Amino acid sequence: MTATIIDGKAFAARVRDKVAAHVAQLKEAHGLTPGLAVVLVGEDPASQVYVRSKGKQTVEVGMASFEHRLEADTSEDALLALIDKLNADPQVHGILVQLPLPDHLDSDLVINRIDPAKDVDGFHISNVGLLGTGQKSMVPCTPLGCLMMLREHHGSLSGMSAVVVGRSNIVGKPMAQLLLGDSCTVTIAHSRTRDLAAVCRGADILVAAVGRPEMIPGDWVKPGATVIDVGINRIERDGKNRLVGDVDFDSAAAVAGAITPVPGGVGPMTIACLLANTLTAAARANGLPEPEGLTA
Ligand code: NDP
């Protein structure tokens, strides 16, 4: 193996420490405690784990955590009424509605009901538009985490060729916008891309956000490239359950200059960036300077 391993777990811990230091300062200097409200509808087991983890980490950095667990058959009106209440609550600076929602609820309608200034997931259509036009916005957490790791590793990304495999609204598209914002030359690849291998081989920065276990082998990676593996796939191997990324780690690490592992790469950065976004939202809501290095 030749690649430098980009340790997302350690990076996320540093982000959380930074957030905690800012929170302590906000409390002391301004009597302000940033607050994050998380809304969970139904009992999806994976969502329950995420929500628990978010609540725990929110409290650990000194913020207020407000958890709202609603029944799976909650009506859209009731959910929208809760969001209206959270929008109006000055103690709540960030609102996150855990996705996926049960089928009878319209996710777009619900997400777009959140005050864009409190939309710490960055999924509100206003924030999507602001990001796309290079204006100050709330940035989706997973791509923000990827960007932070890339900036730390490379310093400037200007002029680099970046390929993002995957065009979802929550990862691929905002990732591409962020890389463009940092002056990369960006290609977005997807399931209809012709000769994906050749496209990937042109990348100085290769971001994989597909959801297919180990789909990208080492011979698709340009020697010395930086590989960011967003994929989280559960597979069974040798009779054991394992988590793997969208990149075949061993063969890619043999040619890449740097690579994020799965687990321990992008994954831990997502909640750390959620906390960073909540801090940013609290600072903006109170007309205070934004914390440096924690936004796009
Ligand atoms: P989506 O399913 O929404 O999007 C997957 C994308 O991959 C689509 O754009 C699809 O193309 C593309 N794709 C599928 N098959 C291929 C293929 N054979 N070749 C090229 N492109 C292909 O997934 P998400 O963006 O939500 O998530 C992607 C991965 O990231 C998942 O493994 C998910 O678990 C993980 N993830 C990790 C997070 C973290 O915290 N680390 C957070 C969010 C997601 P098309 O549009 O043409 O169908």
Side-chain angles (χ1 to χ4, degrees):
M1 187 169 65
T2 59
T4 301
I5 306 297
I6 300 177
D7 184 345
K9 208 171 154 193
F11 198 117
R14 290 199 296 279
V15 171
R16 286 195 302 272
D17 286 350
K18 218 167 161 180
V19 170
H22 278 286
V23 170
Q25 201 257 336
L26 282 184
K27 281 183 181 172
E28 197 180 313
H30 304 281
L32 171 64
T33 302
L36 172 64
V38 176
V39 180
L40 173 64
V41 186
E43 268 141 37
D44 178 67
S47 294
Q48 287 189 332
V49 173
Y50 290 138
V51 166
R52 210 173 304 131
S53 191
K54 284 167 186 171
K56 185 168 166 276
Q57 293 190 33
T58 303
V59 171
E60 279 169 4
V61 295
M63 294 185 185
S65 167
F66 308 99
E67 259 179 49
H68 295 267
R69 290 169 182 267
L70 308 181
E71 299 292 329
D73 62 358
T74 297
S75 71
E76 203 159 80
D77 283 351
L79 179 56
L80 294 175
L82 172 60
I83 291 174
D84 289 345
K85 207 171 120 205
L86 297 173
N87 282 340
D89 186 341
Q91 287 186 303
V92 173
H93 303 97
I95 303 170
L96 179 149
V97 176
Q98 185 67 42
L99 299 177
L101 287 172
D103 288 345
H104 69 284
L105 299 171
D106 178 344
S107 301
D108 287 338
L109 182 78
V110 170
I111 297 301
N112 289 324
R113 187 72 159 237
I114 299 171
D115 177 346
K118 297 188 178 189
D119 168 39
V120 281
D121 251 344
F123 296 160
H124 189 290
I125 196 71
S126 298
N127 282 316
V128 175
L130 290 167
L131 178 62
T133 50
Q135 300 179 69
K136 193 182 276 191
S137 64
M138 295 306 305
V139 176
C141 304
T142 300
L144 177 59
C146 297
L147 182 75
M148 283 183 187
M149 291 193 286
L150 284 166
R151 280 181 178 167
E152 188 185 73
H153 186 72
H154 286 285
S156 169
L157 308 181
S158 180
M160 295 178 84
S161 161
V163 173
V164 180
V165 190
R167 56 174 163 179
S168 72
N169 290 335
I170 63 167
V171 189
K173 283 181 199 157
M175 185 75 249
Q177 295 285 6
L178 289 171
L179 292 165
L180 195 57
D182 270 26
S183 298
C184 291
T185 302
V186 182
T187 302
I188 307 179
H190 44 77
S191 66
R192 309 290 172 88
T193 297
R194 290 191 192 144
D195 201 353
L196 184 58
V199 172
C200 291
R201 278 185 205 116
D204 302 317
I205 294 169
L206 179 60
V207 181
V210 181
R212 289 181 184 263
E214 299 171 333
M215 188 191 92
I216 297 179
D219 67 356
W220 291 17
V221 176
K222 179 174 170 177
T226 299
V227 179
I228 304 290
D229 191 352
V230 182
I232 300 178
N233 308 290
R234 273 164 227 283
I235 61 160
E236 207 189 296
R237 183 173 290 153
D238 305 328
K240 285 187 188 152
N241 288 322
R242 295 191 50 182
L243 275 189
V244 297
D246 292 339
V247 176
D248 177 41
F249 183 83
D250 290 341
S251 63
V255 280
I259 187 167
T260 59
V262 177
V266 176
M269 286 299 287
T270 298
I271 298 185
C273 287
L274 172 68
L275 303 176
N277 276 351
T278 304
L279 174 66
T280 299
R284 286 180 186 168
N286 288 276
L288 297 167
E290 288 177 24
E292 264 177 47
L294 294 174
T295 50

